[in-house]
Amino acid sequence: MEFIPHILLYSLIIIYFWALPKIFAKAGIESWKGYVPFYNVIVWTKICKKPWWWGLILLVPGVNLLMLFVLNVELSRAYNLRGFSNEAKIVFLPWLVIPKIANDPNIKYVGPINYKDKAFKKSFLQEWFDAIIFAVIAATVIRTFFLEAYKIPTPSMEKNLMVGDFLFVSKISYGPKLPNTPFTFPFTHNTLPFGDNIKSYVEIFTLPYFRLPGLGSIKRNDVVVFNFPAGDTVLRFNPNITYYTQLDGEAWITYANQTGGTKYGFEKEKEKYRKMVRNAYLMQDFIITRPVDKKDNYIKRCVGLPGDTIYIIDRQLFVNGVKSGDTELMKFKYYVKSNNKPSIDRLKEKHDISDFDSDIIYFDNDSVLEITLTHQEYLEYINKYGQQNVIVKNKPKGYYLQNYNKEYLPIFPNDIKYDWTEDNFGPLYIPKKGSSIELNLNNLPLYRRIIQVYEHNDLQIKDSAIYINGKETNQYTFKQDYYWLMGDNRHNSADSRFWGFVPHDHVVGKAVLIWFSNGPSAGIRWNRIFKRIE
């Protein structure tokens, strides 16, 4: 059934090339113009006495189908096939109506409707309908090629970007990426605003990845919006959970409960238990898959560029051996010991902390406060409570391999060979298009998803040898650039440290301006309105 939309599309294209010369001839225009791609669309708009740039909109995925409906209706009116029934026919059955206009001698060119004539004056509803159609078209063109508005939903970029900030994201900074799924409900991303995770798009017809030229490329420390790389599969009962982390976690718990074994023992049987959990999800219809352009949008800071080598030592990021990625408002979690217990609401107001429990917690009978602080706030807490009572949270390498910890290796590459944590990580090479690496079973976990998922290769391991597309190999050449992105709220950010590289074809745009800000507790933040993002 997947081939049916393609057959309908290609047959309609053939019909247009066959019919337009005859349709043009009826309007007194040389028939040869109907055979010239793109130019014939401009002539089409001339026949209907519409602006020539209407034809250019047919080149824009996402609105071209809507524009085609509009041009078909205008063509129908110009050949005196007017009224709701005729206009509905050419919208839904152009395969029949277009040839009829071309061949039927009784159908003649009369020109477009003259709305100045009282007999053809638009009704109130028709005027509103036309206005809405073109508002949708104009807004979609702007969102696709120039600017799109986003809202910050989580505190992963605090305090540089706050929950409740409304942003403009520039699509032309890195080049507009055309949609893979052009048939989508206007002004939605991947779900409809009503119902329970109902898709807002259909995949009956998809387009390959294509990006237009942009004003530049991603620079180090740019704040970038991108399609979440691990978001190709999500769980219906909680789409905010990273599917692969959840799958491994439940598989590990199932194994530990059944066998009492260690994580090292689990590694040998991981696929067996992952399959058990995956089958359970499938039986309950929990799994949703999404194309690249319909993955959730994330926003992080680009700290690693293609060709860089990164590592983290005690929370400090190094890029190519140099300290990097620090910003003035970057935050980490600290433990504060004190007999003084200010209320959480008071602390949220003082530090402008969002209403997220993970950013501020009391524990140990309220004698210890866990809170995210900037460096300046950290110094203030030291002055108030003493150096010994303000301790930074820092997970050493091997933390997630300890048997007492219930999590199963949430840190990339989520493999037993690597004992990394969010605070002590790497070294790791970030792939650059055209660069090659020596590939072996030790470093395969780092690049396996790139090879299989992002670059669409068949990868198999047979008798300790690596086979790519059926050929044994010990090296791999990358087909596109990759990036490493992290949140400024370093201890409260699900970023590349947890799920890995961001492919170039997942990049959406550059965050450039905060145009409005409304904090969950603080209300309107007037000092953030029209603030540039740095």
Side-chain angles (χ1 to χ4, degrees):
M1 296 296 289
E2 294 181 358
F3 61 87
I4 292 179
H6 293 79
I7 292 175
L8 293 175
L9 176 64
Y10 296 136
S11 64
L12 184 58
I13 292 173
I14 292 171
I15 287 171
Y16 279 127
F17 274 100
W18 171 81
L20 284 178
K22 297 182 178 182
I23 291 174
F24 289 178
K26 285 187 174 186
I29 295 173
E30 297 96 324
S31 60
W32 64 265
K33 293 182 179 180
Y35 294 111
V36 183
F38 304 116
Y39 180 59
N40 54 11
V41 178
I42 303 301
V43 176
W44 184 348
T45 61
K46 182 180 178 181
I47 287 175
C48 299
K49 295 185 179 180
K50 299 300 179 184
W52 64 269
W53 50 262
W54 278 30
L56 296 182
I57 298 178
L58 285 177
L59 303 177
V60 183
V63 295
N64 49 7
L65 182 64
L66 192 60
M67 195 67 221
L68 185 62
F69 290 163
V70 172
L71 283 174
N72 277 340
V73 168
E74 293 298 334
L75 187 68
S76 176
R77 292 170 178 171
Y79 284 84
N80 208 29
L81 297 178
R82 298 169 179 176
F84 177 79
S85 62
N86 284 319
E87 293 171 4
K89 287 176 184 176
I90 200 168
V91 166
F92 295 106
L93 296 171
W95 300 271
L96 302 179
V97 180
I98 297 296
K100 182 179 180 181
I101 294 174
N103 286 333
D104 191 336
N106 295 319
I107 298 177
K108 301 183 183 300
Y109 178 73
V110 296
I113 296 175
N114 180 10
Y115 289 108
K116 293 180 180 180
D117 187 338
K118 293 182 179 181
F120 297 109
K121 187 177 180 180
K122 289 184 181 181
S123 68
F124 176 80
L125 289 177
Q126 189 175 9
E127 287 183 349
W128 269 100
F129 179 78
D130 290 348
I132 290 171
I133 288 292
F134 279 97
V136 169
I137 290 173
T140 304
V141 170
I142 292 170
R143 293 177 70 215
T144 301
F145 288 100
F146 300 102
L147 287 174
E148 186 167 2
Y150 290 86
K151 180 183 177 182
I152 298 295
T154 68
S156 68
M157 286 294 292
E158 288 185 347
K159 284 189 174 182
N160 285 297
L161 293 177
M162 308 292 290
V163 173
D165 281 351
F166 292 79
L167 317 177
F168 281 135
V169 173
S170 168
K171 300 293 186 71
I172 59 175
S173 292
Y174 310 133
K177 183 175 69 165
L178 301 187
N180 305 113
T181 50
F183 295 164
T184 186
F185 193 83
F187 308 126
T188 63
H189 183 52
N190 50 34
T191 58
L192 293 172
F194 48 83
D196 183 18
N197 290 320
I198 300 174
K199 289 183 179 181
S200 62
Y201 58 95
V202 293
E203 297 178 78
I204 59 173
F205 183 79
T206 59
L207 297 172
Y209 166 73
F210 182 76
R211 186 185 297 274
L212 295 171
L215 300 178
S217 58
I218 297 177
K219 303 294 190 298
R220 198 181 315 282
N221 289 328
D222 279 359
V223 178
V224 179
V225 172
F226 56 96
N227 300 122
F228 177 39
D232 53 351
T233 306
V234 296
L235 293 169
R236 192 181 300 277
F237 63 83
N238 192 342
N240 297 319
I241 296 176
T242 302
Y243 165 75
Y244 299 101
T245 301
Q246 179 77 7
L247 181 67
D248 281 346
E250 288 205 24
W252 154 244
I253 291 172
T254 303
Y255 168 83
N257 290 339
Q258 290 184 4
T259 68
T262 66
K263 290 179 179 175
Y264 293 95
F266 171 62
E267 190 67 19
K268 299 176 182 178
E269 299 189 71
K270 181 164 65 174
E271 285 306 315
K272 170 186 173 182
Y273 285 89
R274 290 182 83 192
K275 186 175 181 180
M276 290 172 56
V277 175
R278 187 184 297 111
N279 287 340
Y281 287 159
L282 290 170
M283 287 179 63
Q284 298 176 78
D285 193 28
F286 281 164
I287 293 179
I288 302 171
T289 58
R290 290 172 176 164
V292 171
D293 64 324
K294 296 305 179 184
K295 295 179 181 181
D296 285 338
N297 290 315
Y298 274 36
I299 183 168
K300 308 290 178 186
R301 189 177 300 278
C302 179
V303 298
L305 297 171
D308 286 344
T309 296
I310 65 163
Y311 57 91
I312 302 172
I313 299 177
D314 293 336
R315 299 169 292 112
Q316 176 63 56
L317 171 69
F318 292 84
V319 179
N320 302 325
V322 178
K323 289 183 179 180
S324 184
D326 295 351
T327 66
E328 182 181 351
L329 297 177
M330 185 171 64
K331 298 170 70 175
F332 291 99
K333 281 187 178 180
Y334 295 86
Y335 299 115
V336 181
K337 298 179 182 179
S338 171
N339 292 326
N340 180 21
K341 303 173 185 176
S343 70
I344 287 181
D345 288 341
R346 182 179 172 187
L347 289 169
K348 285 181 179 178
E349 182 178 355
K350 176 182 178 181
H351 297 290
D352 199 11
I353 291 176
S354 305
D355 292 330
F356 285 81
D357 293 339
S358 54
D359 264 352
I360 182 167
I361 305 171
Y362 275 117
F363 60 98
D364 284 352
N365 296 320
D366 292 348
S367 63
V368 176
L369 170 68
E370 181 181 287
I371 188 171
T372 57
L373 302 171
T374 64
H375 183 68
Q376 181 60 40
E377 291 169 339
Y378 163 64
L379 296 178
E380 292 173 3
Y381 270 65
I382 286 178
N383 290 333
K384 185 173 183 178
Y385 298 107
Q387 177 81 58
Q388 71 279 7
N389 291 319
V390 185
I391 304 167
V392 67
K393 191 172 185 178
N394 183 29
K395 293 180 181 177
K397 285 190 174 183
Y399 175 84
Y400 291 108
L401 290 175
Q402 302 302 316
N403 290 329
Y404 66 83
N405 194 294
K406 294 182 179 180
E407 294 178 276
Y408 178 76
L409 305 179
I411 302 299
F412 180 81
N414 319 104
D415 189 276
I416 205 76
K417 297 184 183 68
Y418 294 87
D419 60 354
W420 300 345
T421 71
E422 56 264 60
D423 299 318
N424 291 275
F425 185 97
L428 176 67
Y429 170 73
I430 303 172
K432 183 177 182 179
K433 182 179 180 180
S435 66
S436 299
I437 59 165
E438 180 184 344
L439 198 61
N440 53 57
L441 295 180
N442 286 325
N443 68 1
L444 181 61
L446 299 174
Y447 305 107
R448 184 167 196 156
R449 185 167 173 83
I450 286 179
I451 296 170
Q452 285 185 299
V453 179
Y454 305 145
E455 301 195 352
H456 312 292
N457 296 287
D458 176 62
L459 188 150
Q460 301 288 335
I461 299 174
K462 302 175 184 177
D463 300 325
S464 298
I466 299 172
Y467 290 80
I468 297 179
N469 300 324
K471 295 181 180 180
E472 184 177 354
T473 185
N474 61 0
Q475 68 172 7
Y476 184 76
T477 301
F478 297 100
K479 300 175 184 176
Q480 64 174 314
D481 287 331
Y482 292 84
Y483 303 88
W484 197 259
L485 290 102
M486 293 168 57
D488 291 342
N489 191 353
R490 291 290 169 83
H491 277 150
N492 197 9
S493 172
D495 52 37
S496 285
R497 294 169 295 173
F498 293 82
W499 35 256
F501 306 103
V502 176
H504 184 68
D505 65 6
H506 283 55
V507 173
V508 173
K510 180 181 180 180
V512 292
L513 181 73
I514 299 170
W515 60 272
F516 185 71
S517 183
N518 185 26
S521 299
I524 297 176
R525 304 185 184 102
W526 297 102
N527 62 325
R528 297 185 64 79
I529 296 177
F530 299 122
K531 178 182 177 182
R532 287 183 58 195
I533 297 173
E534 299 176 354

